Amino acid sequence: MAQPTVLCYDPAGAPYLAKLPALCAVQGLRLRRLTAGHLGLTLAQLAQGAEAAGAAGDVPGEPILILCHLVPGQLDRLLAGLRKAGVPRTCLKAILTPTNAGWTLGDLYGELCQERDRLG
């Protein structure tokens, strides 16, 4: 079974994500920081620990959290912890699914932005 992991792309060092390492440690989650060099890799590759390969396409300017391989109960605890840590609801978040596993980080960002625009 894959280790429960939070992938964190934080290009500008958002202050509200400063508590993320401690939150992940307390909840037994691995935290993996991503850079622009990871944008061309698929979410499945990133969840498996693939190394940066070089930027591909536009570089998102806002944080993205990708929640991978969480077991029942972990998602609710993590989301509650993020709220308590002051992470705004507007911070882009996604769960790794069979549908999005083949998407690149850049693709995911585009999809999340489209969804946010649709929801207003």
Side-chain angles (χ1 to χ4, degrees):
M1 182 170 174
Q3 181 178 3
T5 301
V6 175
L7 303 175
C8 177
Y9 174 77
D10 183 18
Y16 57 81
L17 291 177
K19 296 179 182 176
L20 191 58
L23 177 62
C24 287
V26 166
Q27 295 196 16
L29 303 171
R30 180 178 72 152
L31 174 62
R32 179 154 188 247
R33 299 225 180 245
L34 305 176
T35 66
H38 293 100
L39 288 173
L41 298 173
T42 67
L43 300 184
Q45 290 171 316
L46 294 171
Q48 293 169 359
E51 294 300 319
D58 293 333
V59 177
E62 59 188 306
I64 305 169
L65 299 177
I66 303 139
L67 315 176
C68 308
H69 312 299
L70 300 183
V71 297
Q74 281 182 317
L75 177 61
D76 291 335
R77 287 191 303 275
L78 177 60
L79 292 174
L82 290 171
R83 282 190 299 276
K84 186 175 179 182
V87 175
R89 292 175 93 64
T90 56
C91 177
L92 298 176
K93 297 175 228 40
I95 295 173
L96 178 66
T97 67
T99 300
N100 67 20
W103 297 357
T104 66
L105 183 57
D107 294 337
L108 175 66
Y109 177 69
E111 290 291 326
L112 290 172
C113 288
Q114 286 179 12
E115 184 175 323
R116 178 174 55 193
D117 291 345
R118 279 192 307 270
L119 296 175

